[in-house]
C-alpha cells in the first residue's frame, strides 16, 4: 500500500537468503535492525553494524545489504522524497536522508535509546497499517518527525544545516529538484538561472560533488523509478517508459540496460 509520505513499510524476521545485486531506489530508506548483524556497501562505503541500529539510505544511493547472522529482524521504511521534504518539520530533520556529504555515517548504533526508538517505530508502523478512513491526517508525518527528532537528540552530527549559498547545498538542492521532477526534460539554462549560477559552474560542482553529470543523475532517477514500478504495475513497458520521463522506447531500453545490465522486459520477468 502507498499513502502520503510513506511509500512502503514492512517488518520481517526472514533471513536474506539470496545475494543482492547493487541497486538503487527512487525513495529515501531507513532500516531499523531489531536483531542480528549486517554488512552493507552504501555509495561506496563499507559498513558493518550490529543490532540495535539504524541505517539511512538516500535517494538513488547505490547499495548492497547482506545479513551476516542467522537471525535478521528488521523494519524497512521507504519514504517519498518530495513528500518528506514538504511535510517534515523542522526541515533540518529530513537532511539525514537528503544530505550525505563526504564522511557521512550511514549506520547508527542506537543502544542507549533503543527502547524509545522501538516504541516510536512501532507507533509509526501501526499508523501506516491502519485503514485509510481511520488514519489521522498527516499522522505519518507527525510520527516520523517525532522519530527523527529523537534520533537528532541522540546524534545531531547526522543532521546538517548548511549555508544555502555553499556548493554542497547547491548540489543537494539540485539533486532534490532532479529526484522530484525526473519525468520533466532537463533544461540546464533554466536550472542554472533558478540557483543564480552559470551553467558551467552548476555542471562542474555537481559532477565534482556527486560523481555524475546532471544528465547521468537524471537518468539514474528515471531508471530507479522504472525499476520500482516494473515490479509493481501491470502497465506495458511503453507506458512505464513514459511515466519515467522517456518519450522514446528504444532510448528507455538503452539506458535501462546500461544502468541495470538487463532489458526492461527481463527485469520485469525477474522481479515477478
Amino acid at each position: 500500500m502507498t499513502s502520503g509520505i510513506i511509500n512502503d513499510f514492512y517488518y520481517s524476521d526472514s533471513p536474506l537468503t539470496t545475494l543482492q545485486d547493487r541497486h538503487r531506489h527512487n525513495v529515501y530508506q531507513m532500516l531499523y535492525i531489531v536483531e542480528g548483524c549486517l554488512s552493507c556497501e552504501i555509495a561506496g562505503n563499507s559498513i558493518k553494524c550490529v543490532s540495535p541500529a539504524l541505517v539511512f539510505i538516500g535517494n538513488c544511493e547505490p547499495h548492497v545489504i547482506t545479513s551476516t547472522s542467522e537471525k535478521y529482524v528488521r523494519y524497512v521504511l521507504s519514504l517519498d522524497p518530495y513528500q518528506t521534504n514538504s511535510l517534515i518539520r523542522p526541515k533540518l530533520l529530513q537532511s539525514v536522508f537528503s544530505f550525505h556529504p563526504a564522511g557521512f555515517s550511514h549506520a547508527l548504533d542506537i543502544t542507549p535509546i533503543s527502547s524509545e526508538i522501538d516504541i516510536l517505530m512501532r507507533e509509526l508502523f501501526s499508523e501506516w497499517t491502519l485503514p485509510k478512513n481511520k488514519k489521522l491526517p498527516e499522522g505519518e508525518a507527525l510520527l516520523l518527525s517525532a522519530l527523527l527528532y529523537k534520533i537528532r537528540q541522540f546524534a545531531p552530527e547526522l543532521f546538517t544545516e548548511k549555508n544555502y549559498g555553499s556548493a554542497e547545498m547547491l548540489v543537494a538542492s539540485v539533486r532534490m529538484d532532479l529526484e522530484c521532477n525526473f519525468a520533466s526534460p532537463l533544461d540546464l539554462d533554466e536550472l542554472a538561472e533558478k540557483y543564480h549560477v552559470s551553467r558551467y559552474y552548476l555542471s562542474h560542482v555537481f559532477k565534482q560533488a556527486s560523481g555524475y553529470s546532471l544528465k547521468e543523475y537524471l537518468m539514474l532517477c528515471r531508471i530507479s523509478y522504472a525499476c520500482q514500478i516494473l515490479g509493481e504495475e501491470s502497465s506495458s513497458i511503453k507506458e512505464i517508459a513514459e511515466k519515467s520521463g522517456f518519450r522514446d522506447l528504444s532510448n528507455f531500453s538503452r539506458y535501462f540496460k546500461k544502468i541495470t545490465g538487463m532489458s526492461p522486459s527481463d527485469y520485469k520477468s525477474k522481479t515477478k
Side-chain angles (χ1 to χ4, degrees):
M1 78 181 75
T2 58
S3 169
I5 197 169
I6 298 179
N7 184 281
D8 192 21
F9 200 178
Y10 70 87
Y11 167 88
S12 177
D13 58 6
S14 301
L16 289 177
T17 55
T18 57
L19 184 64
Q20 289 184 337
D21 295 325
R22 183 174 286 99
H23 60 288
R24 300 175 176 86
H25 303 294
N26 194 31
V27 293
Y28 296 146
Q29 278 198 327
M30 178 163 58
L31 280 65
Y32 169 35
I33 314 304
V34 181
E35 188 175 346
C37 311
L38 63 81
S39 66
C40 48
E41 180 192 313
I42 304 175
N45 299 314
S46 296
I47 300 161
K48 296 185 185 298
C49 61
V50 179
S51 62
L54 294 172
V55 179
F56 305 95
I57 304 174
N59 192 16
C60 292
E61 281 191 322
H63 58 279
V64 181
I65 295 175
T66 307
S67 170
T68 55
S69 59
E70 186 175 341
K71 193 76 171 175
Y72 179 40
V73 182
R74 71 277 190 192
Y75 287 89
V76 181
L77 173 63
S78 299
L79 303 170
D80 180 281
Y82 178 78
Q83 294 293 335
T84 301
N85 283 273
S86 298
L87 298 176
I88 293 301
R89 293 292 182 272
K91 203 169 181 63
L92 172 66
L93 294 176
Q94 55 81 19
S95 68
V96 74
F97 298 111
S98 65
F99 191 67
H100 293 174
F104 177 82
S105 178
H106 290 82
L108 176 66
D109 178 357
I110 56 166
T111 301
I113 58 166
S114 59
S115 59
E116 296 160 279
I117 295 298
D118 193 75
I119 290 169
L120 288 166
M121 190 68 74
R122 289 174 187 272
E123 287 180 351
L124 182 57
F125 187 71
S126 295
E127 179 69 21
W128 157 249
T129 55
L130 285 174
K132 190 173 182 180
N133 63 344
K134 293 188 176 181
K135 286 180 182 286
L136 179 70
E138 295 191 8
E140 293 167 3
L142 291 169
L143 287 168
L144 178 60
S145 293
L147 175 61
L148 293 173
Y149 183 78
K150 175 55 64 178
I151 297 167
R152 184 178 181 270
Q153 281 186 312
F154 177 65
E157 67 278 4
L158 297 182
F159 298 79
T160 309
E161 191 164 35
K162 288 284 185 179
N163 178 352
Y164 275 81
S166 71
E168 284 183 321
M169 186 51 77
L170 169 63
V171 172
S173 300
V174 172
R175 282 181 58 178
M176 181 55 57
D177 261 353
L178 297 179
E179 291 164 2
C180 294
N181 303 293
F182 57 84
S184 301
L186 175 64
D187 188 323
L188 184 52
D189 289 322
E190 186 178 301
L191 201 57
E193 184 178 349
K194 177 179 178 179
Y195 291 101
H196 311 292
V197 295
S198 72
R199 56 182 291 160
Y200 170 77
Y201 178 77
L202 177 58
S203 299
H204 175 71
V205 296
F206 192 89
K207 175 78 172 180
Q208 187 177 51
S210 70
Y212 300 103
S213 69
L214 286 157
K215 183 178 180 181
E216 287 170 340
Y217 195 76
L218 179 64
M219 292 302 124
L220 283 178
C221 294
R222 289 179 174 179
I223 299 303
S224 294
Y225 177 74
C227 287
Q228 181 183 325
I229 61 175
L230 273 167
E232 297 175 354
E233 296 190 6
S234 57
S235 305
S236 70
I237 289 175
K238 184 175 185 296
E239 290 171 328
I240 289 172
E242 291 173 351
K243 287 180 182 180
S244 303
F246 291 91
R247 304 293 175 258
D248 181 86
L249 184 57
S250 62
N251 206 25
F252 169 65
S253 298
R254 180 166 61 87
Y255 275 108
F256 194 95
K257 188 163 188 178
K258 180 180 179 181
I259 291 172
T260 67
M262 63 182 76
S263 69
S265 55
D266 287 343
Y267 186 91
K268 190 177 182 72
S269 299
K270 180 185 174 183
T271 306
K272 287 192 173 182

Tab-separated table of all heavy atoms in Angstrom, residues 1-3 6-12 29-32 74-79 120-129 135 140 143-144 147:
chain	number	residue	atom	x	y	z
A	1	MET	N	0.857	-1.188	0.000
A	1	MET	CA	0.000	0.000	0.000
A	1	MET	C	0.889	1.233	0.000
A	1	MET	O	1.976	1.223	0.535
A	1	MET	CB	-0.946	-0.039	1.197
A	1	MET	CG	-0.329	0.354	2.528
A	1	MET	SD	-1.475	0.268	3.939
A	1	MET	CE	-1.591	-1.476	4.212
A	2	THR	N	0.391	2.306	-0.606
A	2	THR	CA	1.131	3.563	-0.578
A	2	THR	C	0.195	4.672	-0.118
A	2	THR	O	-0.966	4.707	-0.463
A	2	THR	CB	1.705	3.911	-1.966
A	2	THR	OG1	0.633	3.995	-2.887
A	2	THR	CG2	2.692	2.872	-2.425
A	3	SER	N	0.678	5.577	0.664
A	3	SER	CA	-0.155	6.636	1.210
A	3	SER	C	0.734	7.763	1.693
A	3	SER	O	1.523	7.584	2.602
A	3	SER	CB	-1.005	6.087	2.366
A	3	SER	OG	-1.636	7.127	3.063
A	6	ILE	N	4.807	7.944	3.269
A	6	ILE	CA	5.398	6.607	3.281
A	6	ILE	C	5.086	5.879	1.977
A	6	ILE	O	3.934	5.711	1.610
A	6	ILE	CB	4.902	5.779	4.484
A	6	ILE	CG1	5.322	6.435	5.796
A	6	ILE	CG2	5.450	4.352	4.416
A	6	ILE	CD1	4.867	5.700	7.043
A	7	ASN	N	6.149	5.474	1.294
A	7	ASN	CA	5.997	4.727	0.049
A	7	ASN	C	5.777	3.246	0.331
A	7	ASN	O	4.974	2.582	-0.312
A	7	ASN	CB	7.249	4.941	-0.815
A	7	ASN	CG	7.153	4.293	-2.165
A	7	ASN	OD1	7.341	3.087	-2.293
A	7	ASN	ND2	6.850	5.083	-3.180
A	8	ASP	N	6.504	2.715	1.320
A	8	ASP	CA	6.358	1.321	1.715
A	8	ASP	C	6.946	1.159	3.120
A	8	ASP	O	7.824	1.926	3.526
A	8	ASP	CB	7.075	0.399	0.728
A	8	ASP	CG	6.712	-1.068	0.909
A	8	ASP	OD1	5.649	-1.335	1.494
A	8	ASP	OD2	7.491	-1.935	0.490
A	9	PHE	N	6.430	0.171	3.849
A	9	PHE	CA	6.883	-0.051	5.219
A	9	PHE	C	6.616	-1.516	5.543
A	9	PHE	O	5.486	-1.987	5.419
A	9	PHE	CB	6.093	0.853	6.166
A	9	PHE	CG	6.738	1.093	7.513
A	9	PHE	CD1	6.117	1.939	8.434
A	9	PHE	CD2	7.945	0.509	7.885
A	9	PHE	CE1	6.684	2.196	9.681
A	9	PHE	CE2	8.521	0.751	9.122
A	9	PHE	CZ	7.882	1.602	10.019
A	10	TYR	N	7.649	-2.248	5.909
A	10	TYR	CA	7.403	-3.641	6.274
A	10	TYR	C	8.323	-4.107	7.385
A	10	TYR	O	9.389	-3.533	7.626
A	10	TYR	CB	7.521	-4.562	5.054
A	10	TYR	CG	8.917	-4.741	4.496
A	10	TYR	CD1	9.773	-5.717	5.004
A	10	TYR	CD2	9.377	-3.956	3.437
A	10	TYR	CE1	11.048	-5.897	4.479
A	10	TYR	CE2	10.642	-4.128	2.913
A	10	TYR	CZ	11.471	-5.108	3.437
A	10	TYR	OH	12.738	-5.285	2.937
A	11	TYR	N	7.830	-5.149	8.069
A	11	TYR	CA	8.580	-5.806	9.138
A	11	TYR	C	8.885	-7.216	8.656
A	11	TYR	O	8.043	-7.870	8.037
A	11	TYR	CB	7.739	-5.856	10.405
A	11	TYR	CG	8.282	-6.775	11.474
A	11	TYR	CD1	9.209	-6.323	12.406
A	11	TYR	CD2	7.868	-8.104	11.550
A	11	TYR	CE1	9.706	-7.164	13.396
A	11	TYR	CE2	8.363	-8.957	12.529
A	11	TYR	CZ	9.272	-8.488	13.444
A	11	TYR	OH	9.763	-9.322	14.410
A	12	SER	N	10.095	-7.696	8.937
A	12	SER	CA	10.454	-9.051	8.524
A	12	SER	C	11.429	-9.671	9.512
A	12	SER	O	12.306	-8.979	10.042
A	12	SER	CB	11.069	-9.044	7.121
A	12	SER	OG	11.475	-10.345	6.748
A	29	GLN	N	15.346	5.615	2.359
A	29	GLN	CA	15.115	4.408	3.150
A	29	GLN	C	15.756	4.524	4.530
A	29	GLN	O	16.833	5.098	4.686
A	29	GLN	CB	15.675	3.167	2.458
A	29	GLN	CG	14.754	2.595	1.393
A	29	GLN	CD	15.101	1.168	1.029
A	29	GLN	OE1	16.257	0.763	1.047
A	29	GLN	NE2	14.096	0.391	0.688
A	30	MET	N	15.048	3.967	5.525
A	30	MET	CA	15.612	3.812	6.864
A	30	MET	C	15.371	2.371	7.297
A	30	MET	O	14.238	1.902	7.287
A	30	MET	CB	14.982	4.776	7.859
A	30	MET	CG	15.509	4.601	9.281
A	30	MET	SD	15.176	6.002	10.385
A	30	MET	CE	13.395	6.103	10.321
A	31	LEU	N	16.448	1.674	7.642
A	31	LEU	CA	16.356	0.323	8.163
A	31	LEU	C	16.539	0.360	9.674
A	31	LEU	O	17.486	0.979	10.166
A	31	LEU	CB	17.448	-0.577	7.565
A	31	LEU	CG	17.242	-1.162	6.167
A	31	LEU	CD1	17.194	-0.071	5.111
A	31	LEU	CD2	18.360	-2.143	5.848
A	32	TYR	N	15.614	-0.259	10.387
A	32	TYR	CA	15.750	-0.404	11.836
A	32	TYR	C	16.089	-1.870	12.095
A	32	TYR	O	15.245	-2.753	11.916
A	32	TYR	CB	14.453	0.008	12.521
A	32	TYR	CG	14.365	-0.348	13.993
A	32	TYR	CD1	15.484	-0.306	14.824
A	32	TYR	CD2	13.149	-0.716	14.556
A	32	TYR	CE1	15.394	-0.634	16.173
A	32	TYR	CE2	13.043	-1.040	15.902
A	32	TYR	CZ	14.172	-1.005	16.702
A	32	TYR	OH	14.087	-1.336	18.033
A	74	ARG	N	14.056	-6.924	11.158
A	74	ARG	CA	14.186	-5.514	10.804
A	74	ARG	C	12.858	-4.921	10.339
A	74	ARG	O	11.950	-5.639	9.897
A	74	ARG	CB	15.217	-5.298	9.694
A	74	ARG	CG	14.808	-5.778	8.290
A	74	ARG	CD	15.064	-7.239	8.108
A	74	ARG	NE	14.908	-7.713	6.728
A	74	ARG	CZ	14.861	-9.010	6.406
A	74	ARG	NH1	14.927	-9.949	7.327
A	74	ARG	NH2	14.736	-9.375	5.145
A	75	TYR	N	12.784	-3.607	10.460
A	75	TYR	CA	11.760	-2.792	9.810
A	75	TYR	C	12.459	-2.081	8.651
A	75	TYR	O	13.579	-1.582	8.809
A	75	TYR	CB	11.193	-1.736	10.748
A	75	TYR	CG	10.283	-2.246	11.837
A	75	TYR	CD1	10.800	-2.642	13.067
A	75	TYR	CD2	8.900	-2.296	11.652
A	75	TYR	CE1	9.972	-3.085	14.088
A	75	TYR	CE2	8.063	-2.732	12.670
A	75	TYR	CZ	8.596	-3.127	13.887
A	75	TYR	OH	7.770	-3.569	14.889
A	76	VAL	N	11.793	-2.006	7.521
A	76	VAL	CA	12.328	-1.266	6.373
A	76	VAL	C	11.296	-0.211	5.970
A	76	VAL	O	10.187	-0.535	5.562
A	76	VAL	CB	12.636	-2.197	5.186
A	76	VAL	CG1	13.207	-1.386	4.017
A	76	VAL	CG2	13.612	-3.295	5.596
A	77	LEU	N	11.682	1.039	6.127
A	77	LEU	CA	10.802	2.170	5.855
A	77	LEU	C	11.277	2.895	4.601
A	77	LEU	O	12.430	3.304	4.512
A	77	LEU	CB	10.832	3.126	7.054
A	77	LEU	CG	10.121	4.472	6.936
A	77	LEU	CD1	8.620	4.279	6.729
A	77	LEU	CD2	10.372	5.309	8.194
A	78	SER	N	10.382	3.050	3.621
A	78	SER	CA	10.695	3.756	2.380
A	78	SER	C	9.817	4.995	2.292
A	78	SER	O	8.592	4.915	2.470
A	78	SER	CB	10.445	2.862	1.159
A	78	SER	OG	11.270	1.716	1.201
A	79	LEU	N	10.443	6.146	2.014
A	79	LEU	CA	9.748	7.430	2.045
A	79	LEU	C	9.787	8.120	0.688
A	79	LEU	O	10.804	8.075	-0.011
A	79	LEU	CB	10.394	8.347	3.084
A	79	LEU	CG	10.457	7.813	4.521
A	79	LEU	CD1	11.345	8.721	5.363
A	79	LEU	CD2	9.074	7.714	5.109
A	120	LEU	N	8.574	4.314	19.068
A	120	LEU	CA	8.200	5.248	18.001
A	120	LEU	C	8.064	4.538	16.656
A	120	LEU	O	7.152	4.836	15.876
A	120	LEU	CB	9.240	6.369	17.904
A	120	LEU	CG	9.219	7.386	19.051
A	120	LEU	CD1	10.488	8.232	19.042
A	120	LEU	CD2	7.990	8.276	18.951
A	121	MET	N	8.957	3.586	16.384
A	121	MET	CA	8.890	2.847	15.129
A	121	MET	C	7.614	1.998	15.068
A	121	MET	O	6.936	1.935	14.035
A	121	MET	CB	10.123	1.962	14.976
A	121	MET	CG	10.276	1.328	13.606
A	121	MET	SD	10.645	2.508	12.279
A	121	MET	CE	12.357	2.894	12.632
A	122	ARG	N	7.268	1.376	16.181
A	122	ARG	CA	6.054	0.557	16.223
A	122	ARG	C	4.799	1.419	16.067
A	122	ARG	O	3.831	1.017	15.413
A	122	ARG	CB	5.988	-0.236	17.530
A	122	ARG	CG	7.010	-1.369	17.604
A	122	ARG	CD	6.997	-2.024	18.976
A	122	ARG	NE	8.065	-2.994	19.109
A	122	ARG	CZ	7.952	-4.279	18.760
A	122	ARG	NH1	6.816	-4.727	18.250
A	122	ARG	NH2	8.979	-5.099	18.923
A	123	GLU	N	4.803	2.600	16.662
A	123	GLU	CA	3.659	3.504	16.514
A	123	GLU	C	3.501	3.959	15.063
A	123	GLU	O	2.389	4.015	14.529
A	123	GLU	CB	3.821	4.720	17.433
A	123	GLU	CG	3.611	4.409	18.900
A	123	GLU	CD	3.770	5.628	19.786
A	123	GLU	OE1	4.219	6.684	19.269
A	123	GLU	OE2	3.439	5.537	20.980
A	124	LEU	N	4.624	4.274	14.427
A	124	LEU	CA	4.588	4.677	13.026
A	124	LEU	C	4.106	3.530	12.147
A	124	LEU	O	3.298	3.725	11.235
A	124	LEU	CB	5.989	5.139	12.587
A	124	LEU	CG	6.144	5.654	11.154
A	124	LEU	CD1	5.200	6.823	10.881
A	124	LEU	CD2	7.587	6.054	10.875
A	125	PHE	N	4.578	2.329	12.434
A	125	PHE	CA	4.153	1.151	11.667
A	125	PHE	C	2.654	0.902	11.856
A	125	PHE	O	1.946	0.575	10.893
A	125	PHE	CB	4.958	-0.066	12.103
A	125	PHE	CG	4.721	-1.285	11.255
A	125	PHE	CD1	5.194	-1.353	9.944
A	125	PHE	CD2	4.019	-2.379	11.756
A	125	PHE	CE1	4.980	-2.474	9.156
A	125	PHE	CE2	3.794	-3.499	10.979
A	125	PHE	CZ	4.274	-3.553	9.677
A	126	SER	N	2.153	1.065	13.070
A	126	SER	CA	0.719	0.876	13.340
A	126	SER	C	-0.119	1.887	12.569
A	126	SER	O	-1.171	1.556	12.017
A	126	SER	CB	0.437	1.012	14.840
A	126	SER	OG	1.059	-0.028	15.567
A	127	GLU	N	0.357	3.150	12.542
A	127	GLU	CA	-0.362	4.182	11.783
A	127	GLU	C	-0.397	3.842	10.300
A	127	GLU	O	-1.415	3.991	9.631
A	127	GLU	CB	0.298	5.544	12.012
A	127	GLU	CG	-0.331	6.709	11.263
A	127	GLU	CD	-1.722	7.071	11.774
A	127	GLU	OE1	-2.059	6.727	12.927
A	127	GLU	OE2	-2.472	7.715	11.009
A	128	TRP	N	0.719	3.362	9.788
A	128	TRP	CA	0.822	3.001	8.372
A	128	TRP	C	-0.147	1.885	7.990
A	128	TRP	O	-0.721	1.875	6.901
A	128	TRP	CB	2.258	2.597	8.082
A	128	TRP	CG	2.500	1.712	6.893
A	128	TRP	CD1	2.896	0.404	6.914
A	128	TRP	CD2	2.378	2.050	5.506
A	128	TRP	NE1	3.032	-0.085	5.649
A	128	TRP	CE2	2.717	0.901	4.752
A	128	TRP	CE3	2.011	3.201	4.828
A	128	TRP	CZ2	2.707	0.885	3.371
A	128	TRP	CZ3	2.007	3.187	3.435
A	128	TRP	CH2	2.351	2.040	2.728
A	129	THR	N	-0.359	0.926	8.905
A	129	THR	CA	-1.196	-0.234	8.587
A	129	THR	C	-2.687	0.007	8.818
A	129	THR	O	-3.499	-0.850	8.492
A	129	THR	CB	-0.756	-1.458	9.425
A	129	THR	OG1	-0.770	-1.112	10.812
A	129	THR	CG2	0.640	-1.916	9.035
A	135	LYS	N	-6.998	6.736	9.464
A	135	LYS	CA	-5.716	7.404	9.639
A	135	LYS	C	-5.913	8.848	10.098
A	135	LYS	O	-6.840	9.530	9.658
A	135	LYS	CB	-4.932	7.410	8.320
A	135	LYS	CG	-4.340	6.068	7.925
A	135	LYS	CD	-3.585	6.202	6.613
A	135	LYS	CE	-3.013	4.877	6.168
A	135	LYS	NZ	-1.850	4.469	6.958
A	140	GLU	N	1.246	10.151	9.799
A	140	GLU	CA	2.534	9.527	9.493
A	140	GLU	C	3.661	10.556	9.546
A	140	GLU	O	4.748	10.286	10.083
A	140	GLU	CB	2.467	8.860	8.116
A	140	GLU	CG	1.527	7.663	8.071
A	140	GLU	CD	1.214	7.209	6.658
A	140	GLU	OE1	1.782	7.794	5.705
A	140	GLU	OE2	0.413	6.276	6.505
A	143	LEU	N	4.387	11.483	13.263
A	143	LEU	CA	5.108	10.427	13.972
A	143	LEU	C	6.545	10.296	13.455
A	143	LEU	O	7.476	10.072	14.231
A	143	LEU	CB	4.361	9.097	13.822
A	143	LEU	CG	3.064	8.990	14.636
A	143	LEU	CD1	2.252	7.783	14.190
A	143	LEU	CD2	3.369	8.894	16.127
A	144	LEU	N	6.711	10.448	12.139
A	144	LEU	CA	8.056	10.387	11.570
A	144	LEU	C	8.900	11.557	12.074
A	144	LEU	O	10.082	11.384	12.401
A	144	LEU	CB	7.986	10.390	10.041
A	144	LEU	CG	9.332	10.367	9.316
A	144	LEU	CD1	10.137	9.115	9.681
A	144	LEU	CD2	9.126	10.440	7.805
A	147	LEU	N	10.042	10.725	15.504
A	147	LEU	CA	11.109	9.725	15.450
A	147	LEU	C	12.439	10.376	15.079
A	147	LEU	O	13.478	10.132	15.721
A	147	LEU	CB	10.734	8.641	14.443
A	147	LEU	CG	11.780	7.561	14.144
A	147	LEU	CD1	12.126	6.776	15.403
A	147	LEU	CD2	11.275	6.620	13.050
